[in-house]
Amino acid sequence: MSDTVKEIAYESSRYNPHEIEPKWQKKWDESKLYEVDLNDHSKPKYYFLTMYPYPSGDLHTGHWYAEAPADAAARYLRMKGFNVLFPMGFDAFGLPAENAAVKAARRGENVHPATLTYKQIDRMVKQFSQLGAMFDWSKMVVTCDPDYYKWNQWFFLKMYEKGLAYKKQSPVDWCPSCNTTLAREQVVGDDRVCERCATPVIKKDLSQWYFKITDYAEELLNFDNLDWPTRVREMQTNWIGRSEGAEVNFDTKAGKLTVFTTRPDTLWGATFMVLAPEHPYVSELTSADKQAEVATYIEETQRKTEIDRMAEGKEKTGVFIGAYAKNPVTGKEIPIWIADYVLMGYGTGAIMAVPYGDQRDFEFARKFKLDIVAVVKPDDSVDLGALDKAYDGPGIMINSGPINGQIHNGEKGKKSPAVAAAIDYLEAQGIGKGATTYRLRDWLISRQRYWGTPFPIVYCDEHGAVAVPYEDLPVALPTDVEFMPTGESPLKSHDSFLNTTCPICGKNATRETDTMDTFMDSSWYWFRYLTPHKTDAPLDAELAKHWAPVDTYTGGIEHAILHLMYARFFTKVIRDLGLIDHGEPFKRLRNQGIILGEDNEKMSKSRGNVVNPDNLVSEYGADTVRTYLMFIGPWDQGGPWNSKGIEGPTRFLGRSWTLITDEASSDTPADKPTLKELKRAVHSAIKEVTDDFENFQFNTAIAELMTLVNAMSKSKSKQVVETLEWQEGLEALIKMLAPIAPHISEELWERTGHTGSIHLESWPSYDESALVKNSISMAIQVNGKVRGQIEVSIDASKDAILEAAKTESNVARYLENAQIIREIVVPGKLVNLVIKA
RNA sequence: GCCGAAGUGGCGGAACUGGUAGACGCGCUCGACUCAAACUCGAGUGGAUAAAACCGUGCGGGUUCGAGUCCCGCCUUCGGCACCA
């Protein structure tokens, strides 16, 4: 704060956002106000990242809801003294642009996805400028640019060399509408639909490229030192699905058959085995007389989709394959069955069935009349002979040879003494070992589409899949392609792309025509913002060391598993390639909710409930729209748009404007108590607003600023505005408004006689001593109910407070003919008198 | 079924480590300005009541001088996972 009162040239003009917003956007642009010098180490760095959008060509209210508060938070940090990097770019590969091209092809027109995408990017950059955000566009990243996707290919080759990228044939999820395979993560919901178009997926047996994310399963479960919402951590943890247990080997005539179990302690109760119908041992083990029956069952299973299986409920089906395995601890021969409730993709695709302890095995045993042996005794009151369902609770091991008498305490893995004892026994006997499995599958990255990163792989008759040499990168996506009305990738019919030579032998070879999942692009893009045009490496090690990891990352919850898990995986891979020395990309994560239409439904053209931000800006101005979006409620909750609700922030900015630009009319003297109260209000607001910004509570920050404006309006007079206290209040108010409403605050800053941008000012700090009130109001309770209020000085003694409390007229009524048995004084808050009548 | 989050006025939502429930805003009511309306400004606004007593944070208990907040048992909504061995 300056120590002289500035002359304000009052002029009675109304707040007109349409005049001031374009004016300041232009000035900021010209002065490169938001361009960040990445090599400026004079201030601590802060990397504030918000998820880059797909260039749909139209900035909608959801983008505003995501970006405006993120911008405010980044601006706040800049005023707090950080060198803040707040970049923006475009997730430019993907289906919408390609589908538009295919659609055009059906009409006989030629619309190239690249042309369309870049046009839409131009339009969105312009729309973004309306928002008044401090994006540093000099660092923009566009993922469909060969400069960018070249490095996707580079990373792919590095991973291929390390065995982290591999190709395998297996049943995969296929979206018939998007005409491509999907990663497991992109198949969602009970009805297994495509994440982007909600079409039910089908299974196809295809040879596809994968990233070995499962190698990092254990590390991905570790969220130590990450300030992430529990919800997201929970979702990823569920998805990875860690199970601790043991692998046990059973002897069969086809050789050793390994099963995974979380309950090795119940091995003595394993009375049969079940294999997945696809298990490789099935053909070998099936006896001659069972061949036909087994073949039929396998065929039925294959024909059934997952939805069919679900629709049939959980009624167990299966067939005995005419073979036996030896239970390694009891020595008994137990029958081997196949059933579709055992999945080939999990564990070893084979289970030991313990009908006593597992509900599925129990149902199977009941249906097919198989033995049930009790192995855990819960307590004396349970009749083991009269089971109607499996028992998986705690108890004492029985009928279990060497582990008889061990306690199963109901905990998972080795936390249960019985499980630990069983694993020890298996390992000592050499028949099994402790093991952990994960539900997580490897990331399928092949897509049968055009508009994505080509794989740097060629197929040679002699050498198989061969990596394209690094010096030949990028493998450019050809632009002279014809889109098939069928939706099939044009790469398949593009001769000069398809036909090439083998890098090893020089003979004719063909290129891989699939392209990479676009989640590849977003798995490392934040590094590229640091050096978007670097030609010799994907990232700059020096800059990455200084700027990464990202300090705060914001975006929608819909990426909780997909993008955020892939990005974590990729960061660990890049670390293991030796390019960086950290393994987590985003230190702090905050998710915004979804902004809904006024009818509380998702905004969609078909519902007709879309709120268009361009219209809002032309009606209210960007600052008001920003303020309202932040004021609407907690950011992570989202909620419905309310066209009446925006009136609140509209009036608030209008009142702030008049408070500062209108000459005072009242004549109240600027006496000491008034000024002290004014100062208290200002400093209290600074404290609260600061805390709220730290905690991403934009709604309450704005409420505090409204309170401050109301308080200042009340105390405003010709005399008061002449004081330093008033000026300090005005400056603090404008500064605190700056991150939220950057245009009006810049204008008010100028009009109050300041030079230079408010956005280069530092955040106000508060004085603890200014927060102290002279006197405080205390509630007087009698038996916990408020019966009166007293006003006492801040330093009043406990006795004085009690004296005042008891003589308060309404309180005194209650005290008549009553005995006070307890007196509780909470300083600054209340007095509670406990009486007995 | 397992795991997680949340239930507060007519509405969006506040409430720090248990301490005056409903900040701030919308809406509504009354008033001023205006020929009138809009804007703006001022006053009021949880319910019930003439007023006090009283009733109020999903429901039922409990702990405490005092519970939206802590404990036990439920209900509802939302999200994730699920024939995962």
Side-chain angles (χ1 to χ4, degrees):
Chain A
M1 176 191 167
S2 51
D3 54 3
T4 52
V5 176
K6 286 206 157 61
E7 277 299 318
I8 299 176
Y10 292 110
E11 47 169 312
S12 200
S13 66
R14 290 186 58 183
Y15 168 47
N16 181 356
H18 308 300
E19 225 165 75
I20 65 172
E21 289 180 358
K23 166 183 151 190
W24 287 111
Q25 283 163 13
K26 191 157 167 266
K27 285 200 178 185
W28 295 334
D29 209 33
E30 285 164 359
S31 63
K32 295 187 170 17
L33 184 65
Y34 302 127
E35 213 168 294
V36 182
D37 178 1
L38 296 178
N39 294 307
D40 175 8
H41 292 201
S42 66
K43 289 185 275 184
K45 70 96 185 182
Y46 201 101
Y47 194 163
F48 197 109
L49 183 68
T50 177
M51 292 178 188
Y52 65 173
Y54 176 80
S56 58
D58 196 30
L59 208 64
H60 53 72
T61 310
H63 290 118
W64 276 72
Y65 190 66
E67 309 304 354
D71 178 59
R75 285 176 177 277
Y76 162 78
L77 289 159
R78 179 159 145 158
M79 292 178 83
K80 283 291 267 189
F82 292 97
N83 189 23
V84 177
L85 172 61
F86 187 54
M88 185 44 74
F90 292 93
D91 187 15
F93 272 138
L95 275 177
E98 184 174 351
N99 287 344
V102 174
K103 224 172 158 182
R106 287 200 189 109
R107 294 192 304 261
E109 290 166 34
N110 199 357
V111 177
H112 197 277
T115 323
L116 185 65
T117 302
Y118 282 103
K119 201 173 93 193
Q120 295 187 154
I121 287 172
D122 279 352
R123 185 172 142 74
M124 282 181 89
V125 170
K126 284 197 189 84
Q127 284 183 309
F128 265 128
S129 75
Q130 283 209 319
L131 200 150
M134 59 165 215
F135 296 125
D136 180 354
W137 290 108
S138 72
K139 297 171 180 64
M140 177 166 78
V141 162
V142 175
T143 58
C144 65
D145 193 310
D147 277 357
Y148 186 84
Y149 71 70
K150 171 183 175 179
W151 302 106
N152 283 344
Q153 296 172 342
W154 188 89
F155 278 121
F156 176 86
L157 290 180
K158 288 286 172 191
M159 290 167 77
Y160 186 49
E161 281 167 18
K162 290 196 70 162
L164 285 169
Y166 66 93
K167 197 177 194 191
K168 82 168 175 198
Q169 171 98 20
S170 98
V172 294
D173 297 304
W174 171 273
C175 173
S177 165
C178 295
N179 273 313
T180 181
T181 53
L182 302 171
R184 273 284 285 122
E185 288 77 21
Q186 286 166 303
V187 179
V188 298
D190 287 346
D191 38 2
R192 297 183 47 78
V193 300
C194 167
E195 163 259 342
R196 60 169 303 280
C197 71
T199 307
V201 299
I202 58 171
K203 286 280 181 198
K204 278 201 177 187
D205 205 34
L206 292 171
S207 180
Q208 302 278 282
W209 286 96
Y210 292 84
F211 279 147
K212 221 169 175 185
I213 191 171
T214 51
D215 270 12
Y216 290 84
E218 191 60 42
E219 202 186 342
L220 286 167
L221 286 168
N222 183 357
F223 293 92
D224 289 354
N225 305 317
L226 289 189
D227 176 9
W228 281 34
T230 37
R231 175 146 171 239
V232 177
R233 298 202 311 253
E234 177 76 19
M235 282 167 78
Q236 290 200 6
T237 304
N238 276 348
W239 187 259
I240 296 164
R242 182 182 200 275
S243 294
E244 214 181 296
E247 283 181 355
V248 187
N249 304 318
F250 287 67
D251 281 333
T252 71
K253 71 170 200 270
K256 216 162 66 174
L257 183 56
T258 304
V259 302
F260 173 75
T261 176
T262 55
R263 293 293 304 279
D265 54 324
T266 64
L267 176 54
W268 285 263
T271 52
F272 58 101
M273 294 188 80
V274 186
L275 307 189
E278 311 92 317
H279 197 283
Y281 277 25
V282 173
S283 57
E284 221 174 315
L285 286 171
T286 305
S287 63
D289 58 318
K290 297 288 181 188
Q291 294 286 358
E293 202 184 336
V294 167
T296 311
Y297 185 77
I298 292 172
E299 209 179 294
E300 273 171 15
T301 315
Q302 280 170 348
R303 204 154 14 97
K304 274 190 271 183
T305 64
E306 319 233 348
I307 298 163
D308 291 338
R309 263 158 73 170
M310 223 106 62
E312 284 167 19
K314 288 176 183 172
E315 176 71 15
K316 295 286 173 289
T317 59
V319 292
F320 175 49
I321 64 169
Y324 293 83
K326 194 168 122 186
N327 182 321
V329 292
T330 63
K332 278 188 189 144
E333 293 288 325
I334 58 175
I336 303 175
W337 289 63
I338 57 170
D340 63 5
Y341 82 92
V342 175
L343 311 171
M344 195 58 225
Y346 186 78
T348 62
I351 61 157
M352 61 178 215
V354 183
Y356 175 78
D358 183 285
Q359 185 59 25
R360 294 155 301 180
D361 299 346
F362 180 86
E363 286 165 20
F364 197 84
R366 273 288 153 89
K367 181 161 176 186
F368 296 107
K369 309 230 165 8
L370 297 160
D371 291 344
I372 299 176
V373 174
V375 282
V376 185
K377 192 180 171 192
D379 58 57
D380 295 334
S381 64
V382 173
D383 179 3
L384 295 178
L387 279 182
D388 60 349
K389 60 175 200 275
Y391 179 76
D392 63 358
I396 298 168
M397 304 311 297
I398 54 169
N399 301 325
S400 295
I403 67 160
N404 268 339
Q406 292 280 357
I407 307 281
H408 171 59
N409 58 11
E411 297 268 349
K412 293 190 168 156
K414 285 190 167 183
K415 283 184 198 145
S416 165
V419 172
I423 292 173
D424 287 348
Y425 179 76
L426 292 175
E427 287 176 353
Q429 299 291 310
I431 48 180
K433 60 175 198 286
T436 303
T437 57
Y438 303 88
R439 211 185 65 90
L440 180 70
R441 304 295 151 80
D442 279 339
W443 173 13
L444 194 171
I445 53 164
S446 302
R447 297 292 178 273
Q448 291 67 47
R449 302 297 308 226
Y450 161 76
W451 193 229
T453 305
F455 282 88
I457 290 287
V458 300
Y459 298 104
C460 164
D461 283 345
E462 202 175 325
H463 297 98
V466 180
V468 172
Y470 287 99
E471 59 269 25
D472 293 346
L473 298 185
V475 173
L477 193 60
T479 48
D480 55 336
V481 292
E482 276 193 47
F483 290 90
M484 305 296 148
T486 55
E488 185 150 274
S489 172
L491 292 181
K492 284 187 166 178
S493 50
H494 191 281
D495 289 345
S496 66
F497 174 81
L498 189 62
N499 297 311
T500 182
T501 51
C502 171
I504 299 173
C505 63
K507 286 185 193 152
N508 287 345
T510 55
R511 286 192 195 278
E512 168 69 70
T513 56
D514 284 353
T515 55
M516 297 181 199
D517 183 359
T518 55
F519 280 105
M520 173 90 184
D521 309 331
S522 53
S523 291
W524 65 280
Y525 74 110
W526 63 95
F527 288 112
R528 197 64 184 169
Y529 282 135
L530 302 173
T531 45
H533 308 296
K534 192 173 174 63
T535 53
D536 59 345
L539 56 90
D540 180 299
E542 281 289 300
L543 285 174
K545 198 178 171 71
H546 181 69
W547 284 93
V550 168
D551 295 280
T552 294
Y553 193 33
T554 68
I557 188 78
E558 67 274 17
H559 292 110
I561 296 174
L562 287 153
H563 161 54
L564 289 171
M565 192 176 67
Y566 296 150
R568 293 180 67 215
F569 160 64
F570 233 80
T571 305
K572 294 172 200 307
V573 170
I574 297 174
R575 174 201 61 197
D576 294 345
L577 289 172
L579 273 67
I580 53 170
D581 53 14
H582 61 276
E584 285 292 344
F586 317 122
K587 285 201 277 198
R588 182 166 77 148
L589 175 71
R590 291 293 179 270
N591 300 111
Q592 79 272 2
I594 299 168
I595 191 88
L596 302 168
E598 261 194 292
D599 53 1
N600 213 5
E601 299 284 343
K602 206 178 158 194
M603 281 191 198
S604 74
K605 280 184 192 136
S606 57
R607 282 200 184 87
N609 63 352
V610 174
V611 178
N612 180 323
D614 293 351
N615 298 347
L616 291 172
V617 171
S618 38
E619 189 172 356
Y620 298 98
D623 280 340
T624 300
V625 179
R626 289 172 61 112
T627 308
Y628 178 57
L629 288 171
M630 287 183 242
F631 184 64
I632 212 164
W635 194 42
D636 57 352
Q637 257 172 47
W641 176 265
N642 183 332
S643 52
K644 287 277 190 202
I646 196 172
E647 293 302 334
T650 305
R651 287 172 196 153
F652 163 62
L653 292 185
R655 277 204 308 276
S656 304
W657 180 271
T658 36
L659 174 78
I660 295 165
T661 61
D662 272 15
E663 211 162 350
S665 51
S666 132
D667 248 327
T668 322
D671 58 9
K672 252 187 146 177
T674 306
L675 294 181
K676 191 173 175 189
E677 180 46 35
L678 172 63
K679 186 166 182 177
R680 201 201 56 78
V682 170
H683 284 251
S684 161
I686 298 172
K687 179 180 159 57
E688 299 297 328
V689 174
T690 306
D691 287 351
D692 288 341
F693 263 102
E694 291 292 332
N695 297 315
F696 267 61
Q697 286 158 348
F698 308 105
N699 57 331
T700 48
I702 292 165
E704 277 303 325
L705 290 175
M706 287 172 168
T707 308
L708 177 61
V709 168
N710 293 346
M712 288 182 73
S713 300
K714 276 219 169 81
S715 54
K716 184 178 174 184
S717 76
K718 284 174 191 154
Q719 292 76 8
V720 169
V721 299
E722 297 292 317
T723 63
L724 282 169
E725 283 83 353
W726 180 260
Q727 179 164 325
E728 183 195 37
L730 283 190
E731 289 186 355
L733 171 64
I734 302 170
K735 285 178 180 177
M736 289 191 285
L737 202 53
I740 297 163
H743 311 88
I744 187 176
S745 49
E746 189 78 296
E747 179 73 21
L748 289 172
W749 192 245
E750 187 184 65
R751 287 187 184 224
T752 47
H754 298 88
T755 49
S757 173
I758 180 121
H759 303 300
L760 298 174
E761 290 292 320
S762 53
W763 190 254
S765 54
Y766 64 91
D767 182 354
E768 200 72 56
S769 66
L771 300 178
V772 178
K773 289 181 171 181
N774 280 337
S775 66
I776 36 168
S777 160
M778 290 179 76
I780 313 302
Q781 298 181 335
V782 177
N783 285 347
K785 299 202 184 225
V786 180
R787 300 301 183 191
Q789 296 281 336
I790 54 166
E791 198 72 17
V792 293
S793 86
I794 188 70
D795 49 6
S797 68
K798 192 177 166 181
D799 287 342
I801 292 169
L802 276 172
E803 175 62 26
K806 288 175 196 169
T807 49
E808 200 279 334
S809 61
N810 194 43
V811 173
R813 274 178 39 213
Y814 286 88
L815 299 181
E816 269 173 54
N817 309 320
Q819 188 194 349
I820 299 178
I821 52 176
R822 206 164 155 186
E823 295 167 339
I824 291 140
V825 179
V826 183
K829 299 279 183 187
L830 54 72
V831 173
N832 191 9
L833 302 170
V834 185
I835 60 167
K836 206 163 76 182

